[in-house]
Amino acid sequence: MEIKIKLLSSTATLPIYAHATDAGMDIYADEIRTIESQNRALIKTGISVAIPEGYVGLVWDKSGIAT
């Protein structure tokens, strides 16, 4: 399957698989932000992803970083 990814800024980082057996790719923030405890924020990734028909793109927190 081919997934098309477009960089929207010159500082954006392409998603990558950390390990060959990973089911998902790691995505990266394209900005530096401090989020105070108990708050939420939208963080830019600087990418656009074309999800093929019949598939879904999910964004999950990474281990304990989100808690």
Side-chain angles (χ1 to χ4, degrees), residues 3-53:
I3 299 174
K4 295 180 182 178
I5 301 170
K6 180 180 180 180
L7 295 178
L8 303 176
S9 79
S10 62
T11 56
T13 303
L14 280 173
I16 61 166
Y17 290 102
H19 305 282
T21 57
D22 286 351
M25 302 176 92
D26 292 337
I27 61 171
Y28 301 90
D30 193 29
E31 61 181 304
I32 297 172
R33 296 272 305 269
T34 299
I35 304 169
E36 299 297 327
S37 178
Q38 304 298 318
N39 289 314
R40 297 178 183 199
L42 296 175
I43 306 296
K44 294 178 183 180
T45 62
I47 63 171
S48 176
V49 181
I51 308 295
E53 187 173 336

Side-chain angles (χ1 to χ4, degrees), residues 44-64:
K44 294 178 183 180
T45 62
I47 63 171
S48 176
V49 181
I51 308 295
E53 187 173 336
Y55 291 85
V56 63
L58 303 172
V59 178
W60 292 81
D61 57 47
K62 187 170 182 177
S63 63

